[in-house]
């Protein structure tokens, strides 16, 4: 499988951009409207400290520049100073891109960085949607690919793919790495996988689906002398090498190569077995959508677990392993907090949903519930009432 197969996938049904653009526009506009109306009509949450309240260029950029966007733009502005090792919890690729593009447009002040972060995130989201469509077409049909794109963009927490967060970049890089290896572009897969390792802490584990795909190629006899084995080996190694480069920087800068792990203490996370996390969750009084015992967090965790089980039945081994690892790692941090956002970037979920969505009732339900809940989350996020 190589350029011919990829070209056929890209060319089907009018090309990737045309298929991705419709759900992208149709889903982003309601979120934008919900955010603007929230900023205009709702008061800011009284629980937010004043220093967080930095105005953006306008209400639209304001609405998508809350919570972690504050951290990413601060890093883009002043980097990783020795005086604040907690910033190491946020990996460097996304703030670096923010800074580079802000320099290009000449707006390196904080409002300009907020706006740049939102623009970069949405460009990455559109590209990621195109890559998802191409990935789905490798195994399923064009209708399944369209549905997968819609389900990604109407996922209840998809606002984080358009906000000044690294989620859309991470999704683009991890799916891009897997698409590249599946179309026999191994060095590209390694570079994209290595970049994923610089975008989020879990990114390094993309080496696992790359390794599985390399093994499948070898077992099928497709890695011959004229298709050298060193390329898949390099591709599998590059995510780890890129992460080691980041650790070296942290050692030189902060004196701690594991500063990104130690910084998690500030978010009350510590490594432990997943059953301890679940026991901790059920040990307290439940709340609906906030805190360490949020039923919302539990609901998205169960969605992820169900998705992994179904992916084992329906999808490639590499996808199931990647899905499982992305779910297992946050389950080993002692908390289900942010699970609605973590599940968002588990791309095999959208292949599972695309198969389930072949039934019209399921398809309609996913669209209606996703857009409705997503609009509510957007309004709450925009004025600091909720975050995942």
């Amino acid at each position: 499988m190589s350029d011919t197969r990829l070209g056929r996938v890209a060319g089907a049904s009018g090309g990737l951009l045309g298929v991705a653009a419709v759900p992208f526009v149709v889903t982003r506009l309601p979120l934008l409207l919900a955010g603007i109306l929230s900023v205009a009509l709702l008061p800011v949450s009284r629980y937010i400290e004043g220093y967080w309240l930095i105005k953006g260029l306008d209400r639209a950029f304001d609405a998508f520049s809350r919570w972690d966007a504050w951290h990413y733009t601060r890093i883009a502005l002043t980097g990783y100073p020795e005086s604040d090792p907690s910033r190491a919890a946020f990996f460097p690729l996304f703030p670096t891109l923010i800074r580079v593009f802000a320099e290009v447009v000449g707006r390196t002040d904080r409002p300009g960085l907020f706006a740049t972060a939102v623009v970069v995130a949405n460009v990455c989201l559109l590209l990621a949607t195109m890559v998802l469509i191409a990935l789905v077409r490798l195994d399923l049909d064009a209708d399944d690919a369209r549905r997968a794109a819609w389900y990604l963009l109407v996922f209840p927490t998809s606002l984080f793919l358009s906000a000044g967060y690294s989620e859309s970049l991470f999704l683009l890089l991890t799916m891009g790495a897997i698409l590249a290896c599946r179309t026999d572009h191994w060095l590209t897969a390694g570079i994209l996988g290595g970049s994923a390792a610089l975008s989020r802490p879990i990114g390094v584990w993309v080496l696992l689906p790359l390794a599985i795909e390399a093994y499948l190629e070898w077992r099928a006899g497709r890695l011959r002398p004229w298709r050298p084995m060193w390329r898949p080996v390099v591709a599998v190694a590059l995510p780890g090498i890129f992460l080691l480069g980041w650790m070296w920087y942290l050692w030189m800068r902060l004196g701690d190569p594991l500063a990104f792990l130690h910084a998690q203490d500030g978010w009350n996370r510590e490594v432990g077995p997943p059953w301890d996390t679940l026991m901790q969750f059920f040990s307290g009084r439940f709340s609906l959508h906030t805190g360490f015992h949020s039923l919302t967090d539990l609901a998205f965790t169960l969605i992820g677990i169900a998705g992994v089980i179904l992916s084992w039945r329906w999808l490639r081994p590499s996808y199931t392993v990647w899905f499982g690892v992305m779910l297992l790692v946050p389950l080993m941090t002692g908390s289900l907090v942010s699970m609605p956002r973590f599940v968002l970037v588990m791309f095999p979920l959208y292949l599972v949903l695309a198969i389930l969505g072949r039934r019209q009732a399921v398809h309609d339900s996913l669209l209606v519930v996703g857009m409705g809940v997503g609009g509510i989350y957007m309004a709450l996020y925009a004025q600091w009432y909720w975050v995942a």
Side-chain angles (χ1 to χ4, degrees):
M1 190 188 323
S2 58
D3 292 328
T4 302
R5 176 75 180 273
L6 182 59
R8 187 166 67 251
V9 168
S13 302
L16 298 176
L17 179 59
V19 179
V22 173
F24 178 86
V25 173
V26 169
T27 60
R28 296 309 94 184
L29 287 178
L31 287 181
L32 179 61
L33 179 61
I36 291 174
L37 290 176
S38 178
V39 172
L41 301 177
L42 295 180
V44 173
S45 171
R46 66 179 184 273
Y47 299 107
I48 295 300
E49 298 289 343
Y51 66 86
W52 284 81
L53 304 178
I54 301 172
K55 287 292 185 182
L57 295 182
D58 57 33
R59 288 173 178 170
F61 289 119
D62 262 357
F64 288 97
S65 301
R66 308 307 194 203
W67 304 102
D68 283 3
W70 190 91
H71 294 289
Y72 283 118
T73 54
R74 186 173 58 152
I75 293 169
L77 188 65
T78 58
Y80 295 90
E82 296 180 34
S83 59
D84 189 5
S86 68
R87 297 191 193 185
F90 298 91
F91 272 40
L93 185 57
F94 186 59
T96 299
L97 290 177
I98 296 171
R99 182 71 190 206
V100 168
F101 285 100
E103 292 281 358
V104 170
V105 299
R107 285 301 302 263
T108 57
D109 57 325
R110 203 66 179 276
L113 292 171
F114 278 136
T116 304
V118 172
V119 171
V120 170
N122 280 278
V123 170
C124 289
L125 174 56
L126 180 58
L127 294 174
T129 305
M130 295 166 62
V131 172
L132 175 62
I133 293 168
L135 267 178
V136 177
R137 287 177 180 174
L138 292 177
D139 301 303
L140 305 175
D141 62 29
D143 289 336
D144 291 327
R146 290 192 189 93
R147 284 195 300 274
W150 276 100
Y151 300 154
L152 167 66
L153 293 166
V154 302
F155 197 76
T157 55
S158 73
L159 71 93
F160 295 107
L161 297 173
S162 287
Y165 281 55
S166 65
E167 266 67 16
S168 55
L169 173 64
F170 174 80
L171 192 64
L172 171 62
L173 294 172
T174 52
M175 291 194 304
I178 294 172
L179 177 63
C181 80
R182 290 203 57 197
T183 53
D184 201 30
H185 294 80
W186 286 99
L187 295 184
T188 300
I191 293 171
L192 292 174
S195 300
L198 297 180
S199 66
R200 294 189 67 82
I202 200 174
V204 67
W205 294 110
V206 75
L207 63 87
L208 293 177
L210 297 185
I212 292 170
E213 290 295 338
Y215 169 74
L216 294 175
E217 287 286 292
W218 173 80
R219 191 179 67 176
R222 288 191 287 267
L223 293 176
R224 302 296 187 185
W226 58 89
R227 301 175 70 180
M229 189 68 186
W230 67 266
R231 291 181 180 176
V233 171
V234 170
V236 172
L238 280 178
I241 293 172
F242 277 48
L243 178 62
L244 288 174
W246 171 233
M247 293 170 65
W248 177 83
Y249 172 85
L250 293 175
W251 184 25
M252 294 293 100
R253 183 68 172 169
L254 304 177
D256 181 7
L258 298 177
F260 64 95
L261 291 178
H262 299 150
Q264 296 300 323
D265 294 342
W267 281 263
N268 297 306
R269 294 187 182 274
E270 56 184 23
V271 177
W275 49 86
D276 281 359
T277 299
L278 294 174
M279 290 176 62
Q280 172 67 22
F281 178 86
F282 287 106
S283 67
R285 183 177 180 180
F286 295 148
S287 63
L288 178 60
H289 61 82
T290 59
F292 291 98
H293 308 281
S294 163
L295 293 174
T296 298
D297 295 339
L298 177 63
F300 280 91
T301 303
L302 295 176
I303 290 172
I305 292 172
V308 171
I309 294 171
L310 291 175
S311 73
W312 187 260
R313 293 181 56 192
W314 294 339
L315 305 183
R316 299 173 67 82
S318 60
Y319 291 11
T320 301
V321 168
W322 179 230
F323 199 170
V325 167
M326 285 197 292
L327 186 64
L328 182 62
V329 169
L331 283 176
M332 295 176 63
T333 63
S335 172
L336 299 184
V337 171
S338 297
M339 193 61 79
R341 179 162 53 87
F342 295 154
V343 173
L344 171 66
V345 293
M346 300 178 186
F347 85 85
L349 174 63
Y350 304 108
L351 279 78
V352 170
L353 293 178
I355 295 172
L356 293 173
R358 291 169 180 171
R359 299 181 63 177
Q360 191 65 40
V362 175
H363 174 73
D364 293 342
S365 298
L366 290 172
L367 293 183
V368 171
V369 173
M371 294 194 71
V373 175
I376 294 171
Y377 283 165
M378 183 70 231
L380 296 174
Y381 169 86
Q383 287 297 67
W384 303 90
Y385 290 98
W386 174 84
V387 69

